[in-house]
């Protein structure tokens, strides 16, 4: 074994950081000894309308789960995110937007943001949206996303943002589950020079959804799109005609703020429900600390607005702190792979937060596209979405960060709302690939398969003891599934679905999902969801989906497909199945490899033996373990044989 690679906190960094090593130790200890006192202090960051009297009322008991924070406090999220910055910053930039096409940009000041939020809130009110109603947002990465989310929460409505790369079918399912009253979308989106037909998708989704009374359409490209008078209205016209002030609605800390869908290991995507008070406290305070944000910094998170990364650390975190941030509509490789670096140079970005998959893709282009640009403004780098491999980490550190910038590897989930494990940059030396140490108030537990909590170094399941304010409260319409998924596996703990290793220094390294979820380019895909999409194809009898190591995506989607009698294996049919999945879920779910399997290995109870399929997909043909449980002998040999043939053919 090599000596462990450690990158100390850069010289001079700790001196002006919000948290240095000594402060981390002290604060962490006190946050665990008396979590209520710690979070009460953090909650002072929020402007409450009615102060709360009790900090927490929580227990991780599957028979009596309770997660309530600041419960009798009241507040309004948009006042905290927008209004309170106006006295000092009305004319300063809140959002520095860069369009997909180079050269197309817009600056939105805090004053302009506030004006649009108030007006759109009035528009929504006029459309009959009130406290607790759900508004679905299906927009490209444009400033109107911020406006739409803030307009919802100003009137106590709940936003449900759906990634604009999702298909109309995915949108439809999410609208139906939430019973949304209004949909906010755009005529079209633009990504990497390609047009995304958002209004067209939206129309298809809404056609079957009587809960949607109105569709608000933002003009993004100005294309001619179908328009239903009476149901549809143009955003720009409606906002221009609306009153410029909307009284913010007082909501309770435990009232819902938003719903966000994510894939699980079984069944359909689950709508995680986040509430107002606890989420805002955790998001706002942790964002400032983990990115070590100071007045004057320019922050950029590259995540799409459809993911929790963007909700917490691109939208709520920066807005709550009155920070200026970059918003980029496009992709890192278009028109060429220096696009991101040119944006960093142009806006003097000082804090940059992205995903390992993008870094791996850009790494392949070599240093040329980076060298053309001045990245000396960068001070802090962040990573999120999947474990970052040490090679990508080193490239990020040396080539992008010039060896000067700490890397904040943030481990968290849609369910956790905000960060759980993170090397706070002024406090914790980096070890490449390790999300390092618990955030304040967070108690990690490494739990083995028998449910034993490990002491000291070792490997196991990533669990957490005790609640934190940002965590999701339930799954919409399915509290029982919420309890069963996260709290029943290891009673007393929240179970993440990830594996973890803790080293002798108490550093944590996440090893990836241990359930039937595949992390593809930092996006979660449920194998069951993929299988049901594939199996709905008329030629398909059955399918099994597993992840396999992929150089850029981290994991790729490998689909074993059994055809119905009378259908012949062909490359054309493979392409058709891939297109079928894209159409049903979205391009991110496209299978990378489709392998025909006349039969799938199952045990006598009919359960598919994924362990074997996963090994074969990784081209690992040894040590299948005990195959005596496979009901039909020869099935495994056949699958291995076919895989070997495919590999030989592709060489
Ligand atoms: C899953 C959560 C957190 C927002 C982005 C994804 C993986 C996330 C890390 C990290 C190792 C990570 C986990 C987790 N993950 N961040 N820094 N190191 N793994 O949110 O879509 O809810 O996915 O992403 O597997 O469970 P999400």
């Amino acid at each position: 074994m090599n000596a462990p690679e450690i990158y100390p906190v850069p010289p001079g960094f700790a001196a002006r950081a919000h948290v240095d090593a000594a402060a981390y130790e002290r604060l962490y200890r006190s946050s665990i000894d008396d979590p209520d006192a710690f979070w009460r202090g953090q909650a002072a960051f929020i402007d409450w309308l009615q102060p709360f009297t009790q900090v927490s009322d929580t227990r991780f008991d599957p028979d009596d789960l309770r997660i309530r924070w600041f419960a009798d406090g009241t507040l309004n999220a948009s006042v905290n995110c927008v209004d309170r910055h106006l006295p000092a910053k009305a004319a300063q930039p809140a959002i520095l937007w860069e369009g997909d096409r180079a050269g197309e940009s817009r600056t939105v000041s805090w004053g302009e943001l506030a004006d649009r939020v108030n007006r759109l809130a009035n528009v929504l009110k006029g459309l009959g949206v009130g406290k607790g109603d759900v508004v679905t947002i299906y927009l490209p990465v444009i400033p109107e996303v911020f406006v739409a989310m803030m307009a919802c929460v100003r009137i106590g409505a709940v936003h449900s943002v759906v990634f604009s790369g999702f298909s109309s079918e995915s949108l439809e399912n999410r609208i139906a589950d939430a019973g949304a009253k209004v949909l906010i979308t755009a005529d079209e989106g633009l990504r990497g020079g390609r047009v995304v037909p958002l209004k067209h998708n939206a129309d298809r989704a809404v056609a079957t959804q009587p809960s949607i009374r109105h569709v608000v359409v933002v003009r993004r490209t100005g294309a001619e799109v179908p328009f239903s008078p009476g149901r549809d209205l143009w955003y720009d016209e409606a906002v221009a005609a609306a009153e410029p002030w909307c009284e913010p609605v007082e909501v309770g800390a435990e009232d819902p703020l938003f719903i966000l869908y994510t894939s699980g290991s079984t069944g359909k995507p689950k709508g995680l429900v986040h509430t107002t008070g606890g989420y805002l406290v955790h998001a706002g305070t942790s964002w400032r600390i983990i990115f070590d944000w100071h007045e004057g910094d320019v922050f950029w998170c590259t995540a799409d607005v459809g993911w929790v990364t963007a909700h917490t650390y691109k939208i709520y975190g920066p807005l709550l702190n009155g920070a200026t941030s970059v918003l980029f509509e496009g992709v890192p490789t278009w028109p060429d792979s220096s696009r991101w670096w040119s944006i960093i140079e142009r806006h003097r970005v000082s804090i940059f937060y992205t995903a390992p998959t993008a870094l791996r893709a850009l790494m392949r282009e070599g240093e040329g596209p980076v060298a053309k640009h001045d990245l000396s403004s960068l001070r802090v780098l962040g990573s999120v979405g999947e474990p970052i491999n040490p090679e990508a980490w080193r490239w990020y550190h040396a080539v992008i960060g010039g060896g000067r910038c700490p890397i904040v590897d943030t481990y968290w989930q849609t369910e956790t709302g905000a960060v759980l494990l993170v090397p706070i940059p002024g406090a914790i030396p980096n070890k490449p690939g390790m999300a390092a140490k618990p955030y304040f108030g967070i108690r990690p537990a490494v739990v083995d398969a028998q449910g034993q909590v490990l002491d000291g170094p070792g490997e196991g399941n990533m669990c957490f003891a005790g609640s934190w304010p940002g965590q999701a409260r339930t799954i919409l319409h399915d509290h029982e599934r919420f309890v069963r998924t996260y709290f029943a596996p290891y009673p007393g703990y929240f179970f993440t679905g990830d594996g973890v290793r803790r080293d002798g220094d108490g550093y944590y390294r996440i090893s990836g999902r241990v359930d039937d979820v595949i992390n593809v380019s930092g996006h979660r895909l449920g194998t069951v969801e993929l299988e049901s999409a594939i199996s709905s194809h008329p030629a398909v009898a059955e399918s099994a989906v597993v992840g396999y190591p992929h150089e850029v995506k981290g994991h790729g989607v490998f689909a074993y497909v059994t055809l119905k009698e009378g259908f012949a294996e062909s490359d054309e049919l493979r392409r058709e199945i891939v297109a079928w999945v894209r159409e049903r879920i979205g391009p991110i779910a496209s299978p990378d490899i489709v392998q025909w399997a006349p039969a799938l290995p199952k045990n006598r109870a009919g359960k598919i033996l994924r362990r074997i399929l996963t090994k074969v997909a990784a081209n690992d043909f040894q040590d299948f373990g005990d195959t005596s449980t496979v009901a039909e002998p020869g099935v495994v040999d056949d699958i291995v044989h076919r895989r070997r043939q495919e590999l030989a053919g592709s060489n």
Side-chain angles (χ1 to χ4, degrees), residues 262-263 307-310 353 356 383-388 408-416 421 433-435 496-498 509-513 517 519 522-524:
T262 191
S263 296
W307 314 116
V308 78
T309 304
Y353 187 37
S383 174
V384 66
E386 57 175 313
I388 179 167
V408 193
D409 183 349
T410 60
Y411 170 73
W412 55 295
Q413 311 178 300
T414 307
E415 293 83 344
T416 73
L421 299 177
M434 303 193 87
T496 59
D498 286 306
R509 180 200 294 277
I510 300 296
S511 52
R513 303 292 307 192
V517 168
N519 190 326
H523 303 314
R524 274 158 69 165

Side-chain angles (χ1 to χ4, degrees), residues 610-644:
R610 291 175 185 282
R611 183 178 46 85
I612 296 175
L613 294 175
T614 304
K615 283 186 84 101
V616 175
N619 303 330
D620 174 356
F621 304 126
Q622 268 134 42
D623 298 328
F624 289 123
D626 180 13
T627 51
S628 66
T629 54
V630 184
E632 273 185 80
V635 168
V636 176
D637 289 345
D638 185 59
I639 279 179
V640 170
H641 176 70
R642 281 169 172 262
R643 185 74 204 128
R644 284 191 196 274

Side-chain angles (χ1 to χ4, degrees), residues 130-141:
K131 194 170 176 175
D133 289 336
V134 177
V135 173
T136 298
I137 299 173
Y138 184 61
L139 283 174
V141 182

Side-chain angles (χ1 to χ4, degrees), residues 191-204:
R191 256 177 82 81
R194 280 201 291 268
V195 169
V196 187
L198 294 179
K199 180 60 163 62
H200 168 82
N201 292 350
D203 282 343
R204 280 175 56 183

Side-chain angles (χ1 to χ4, degrees), residues 203-349:
D203 282 343
R204 280 175 56 183
V206 168
T208 59
Q209 296 307 316
S211 72
I212 294 283
R213 300 196 197 149
H214 293 282
V215 180
V216 179
V217 191
V218 177
R219 281 187 231 263
R220 168 60 190 99
T221 63
E224 283 266 341
V225 291
F227 194 84
S228 304
R231 187 198 68 185
D232 298 352
L233 57 162
W234 292 108
Y235 168 91
D236 51 2
E237 291 170 9
V239 159
E243 289 295 322
W245 169 254
C246 175
E247 191 63 27
V249 169
E250 178 175 7
V251 306
E254 285 297 335
D255 283 341
L257 183 69
F258 67 86
I259 301 163
L260 189 58
Y261 288 86
T262 191
S263 296
S265 51
T266 56
K268 58 180 184 125
K270 30 193 188 189
L272 272 316
V273 179
H274 282 279
T275 57
T276 308
Y279 176 83
L280 294 182
V281 168
H282 192 184
T285 55
S286 65
W287 179 81
R288 173 190 283 259
I289 290 171
I290 67 178
F291 295 109
D292 196 47
W293 176 82
H294 290 75
E295 222 39 89
D297 273 316
V298 176
F299 177 80
W300 181 14
C301 163
T302 65
D304 192 278
V305 293
W307 314 116
V308 78
T309 304
H311 279 63
T312 306
Y313 290 138
K314 180 190 190 105
I315 298 170
Y316 282 102
L319 288 181
L320 285 163
N321 285 279
T324 301
S325 42
V326 168
L327 188 64
F328 173 46
E329 184 182 36
V331 300
T333 47
W334 193 82
D336 62 51
S337 33
S338 66
R339 188 73 200 276
W340 275 4
W341 320 130
S342 78
I343 293 173
I344 291 178
E345 175 173 20
R346 184 166 132 80
H347 292 294
R348 306 294 298 156
V349 171

